[in-house]
Amino acid sequence: MASEKVCTVLSRLAERVPQVPLYIAGAVSLSVVTCLLFRSRPPRRTRAIAVSKEKVLVLGATSGVGRVIAQQYALRGAYVCVVGRREDKLNEVVQECVELAARNGFEGRGLGVRADISDVNDMIRVRETVEKAWSGLDTVIVAAGVSTLQPLMAVAGVEVSTPDIVGSQASPEGIQHAVNAAQAAVNANYLGSLVAAVTFIPLLTYTSSSPSILLLSSAAAVIPPPTRSIYASTKCASLMLYQALQIEHPSIKFTFFFPGTIEGDFRASAVDNPPGWTTPPKIHEDDPNKNGLKREVVARRCIRAIDRGERNVYIPRHYRVAHVLYWFWPAFIEWKTSVKYNFR
């Protein structure tokens, strides 16, 4: 079965790009075989913690995948604390979780705390709420974040449409605008993850028999995308932070989740609109609500990865091969990302 899948991958690659160097084909083969044959299968975490007793904290639960993850955990009877900045949306999610849990006879297991993941005092308040209600935590889902949608020069107000850019340089205001956009992304995508880790890792360590953290990262953290330079760099930073933390805290099972484009309104969180824009900024990608991954599919896969103790999860699965292939054949992957993001 494994050999058949390897042959399928290689044949498809050969059809699309006839002149594939032998060492690239070997790299693809090695990565696929490793994934299929030698991937570790640790004992299911649910043997240590019953699903109806698991205490779960979802940071960034008012929309998107985070919201669906909270709903899925509530449906199977877990204790769920949802955290987000928008109080109206937060109240909706809490009510949804309470109703879903009640379907299976579980009462009083939903909590909601309005908070900003990058605010230290807010996260301390969340921790105190969880400790008072449950006396501990088993699982932390870090799903909060913001997007960026524009090439970096566009964020600074520079139009680079021809090779000759003389006379089209970034102004001080444009440079500052790019800095402000980057700082907003750093606060949400990196510093928020750092604050969450420092706040909750000790609590997880001391109170859970099988502590787990899932970082909802992005394929953009490992495969560089044009038009997403600020977003990708901040997601990459939080990924490296948590990869280092998994070494420093071996008692905690870390899961790193790398999805492609997901359906929904994540673009609405973009912090990099060009300075002085009066019309909607140019979007460099196809409509995610038509072509993106379904939130329910991603959420279920996240929970399954936590239950199984998986470390690195790519969805779609071929992104794992793309990540490996990037180091052997960067020009091909860069061309593919340019096509995906309609960047010419």
Side-chain angles (χ1 to χ4, degrees):
M1 180 65 71
S3 60
E4 291 178 1
K5 291 185 178 180
V6 171
C7 292
T8 301
V9 171
L10 292 179
S11 62
R12 288 177 180 174
L13 187 60
E15 290 172 0
R16 296 182 181 181
V17 187
Q19 298 179 344
V20 179
L22 182 60
Y23 69 88
I24 293 178
V28 174
S29 301
L30 179 61
S31 64
V32 174
V33 170
T34 300
C35 294
L36 296 175
L37 298 181
F38 301 105
R39 183 173 59 183
S40 62
R41 294 282 187 176
R44 289 180 63 88
R45 183 167 176 254
T46 50
R47 296 174 184 171
I49 302 174
V51 294
S52 61
K53 295 183 179 180
E54 187 175 1
K55 302 165 186 174
V56 182
L57 172 66
V58 185
L59 302 170
T62 54
S63 63
V65 175
R67 183 170 186 158
V68 182
I69 288 176
Q71 294 168 347
Q72 293 289 333
Y73 269 116
L75 186 60
R76 71 182 200 171
Y79 295 86
V80 181
C81 178
V82 295
V83 176
R85 292 179 298 175
R86 296 175 290 180
E87 189 167 8
D88 57 336
K89 296 294 184 181
L90 187 69
N91 292 335
E92 290 178 6
V93 180
V94 173
Q95 185 60 35
E96 290 167 356
C97 290
V98 169
E99 293 175 357
L100 288 168
R103 291 184 187 178
N104 293 322
F106 299 104
E107 303 290 342
R109 300 195 172 200
L111 293 175
V113 183
R114 181 180 178 275
D116 184 335
I117 188 175
S118 64
D119 187 288
V120 173
N121 291 328
D122 280 2
M123 288 299 98
I124 292 295
R125 183 161 48 82
V126 172
R127 187 178 68 189
E128 291 174 346
T129 300
V130 169
E131 283 188 289
K132 181 178 179 180
W134 302 336
S135 302
L137 265 180
D138 297 307
T139 306
V140 174
I141 312 290
V142 183
V146 298
S147 67
T148 67
L149 304 173
Q150 306 301 322
L152 185 57
M153 292 303 105
V155 179
V158 178
E159 180 62 37
V160 186
S161 56
T162 65
D164 181 12
I165 61 172
V166 175
S168 181
Q169 306 292 345
S171 67
E173 294 78 13
I175 296 172
Q176 186 59 56
H177 184 80
V179 170
N180 293 343
Q183 187 60 61
V186 167
N187 287 343
N189 296 342
Y190 175 72
L191 290 180
S193 299
L194 184 148
V195 172
V198 177
T199 305
F200 296 108
I201 280 179
L203 182 62
L204 281 169
T205 303
Y206 301 146
T207 63
S208 178
S209 60
S210 184
S212 182
I213 296 176
L214 181 137
L215 177 67
L216 184 60
S217 187
S218 169
V222 293
I223 303 173
T227 77
R228 302 291 195 274
S229 53
I230 293 177
Y231 173 74
S233 58
T234 55
K235 297 298 283 188
C236 184
S238 62
L239 172 64
M240 185 59 66
L241 170 67
Y242 275 52
Q243 287 176 328
L245 288 172
Q246 76 173 344
I247 302 172
E248 297 174 0
H249 301 277
S251 65
I252 298 177
K253 184 67 68 174
F254 284 79
T255 296
F256 308 114
F257 203 89
F258 305 103
T261 301
I262 304 172
E263 67 174 1
D265 59 354
F266 184 55
R267 287 174 173 174
S269 69
V271 296
D272 65 338
N273 291 320
W277 68 288
T278 56
T279 59
K282 180 180 179 181
I283 301 299
H284 297 269
E285 187 181 10
D286 295 336
D287 186 354
N289 291 316
K290 294 181 179 179
N291 305 298
L293 299 166
K294 299 300 181 183
R295 285 169 290 192
E296 290 75 13
V297 172
V298 176
R300 285 196 297 268
R301 186 66 182 91
C302 284
I303 295 174
R304 188 173 69 178
I306 294 171
D307 288 345
R308 292 180 173 181
E310 297 178 69
R311 177 169 294 182
N312 298 302
V313 180
Y314 296 77
I315 181 170
R317 287 183 293 180
H318 67 260
Y319 276 26
R320 182 187 295 270
V321 176
H323 182 200
V324 174
L325 189 58
Y326 174 69
W327 297 103
F328 293 91
W329 198 4
F332 174 70
I333 298 301
E334 289 165 0
W335 170 71
K336 291 293 289 183
T337 59
S338 295
V339 171
K340 172 179 170 58
Y341 291 98
N342 300 316
F343 185 78
R344 304 289 192 274

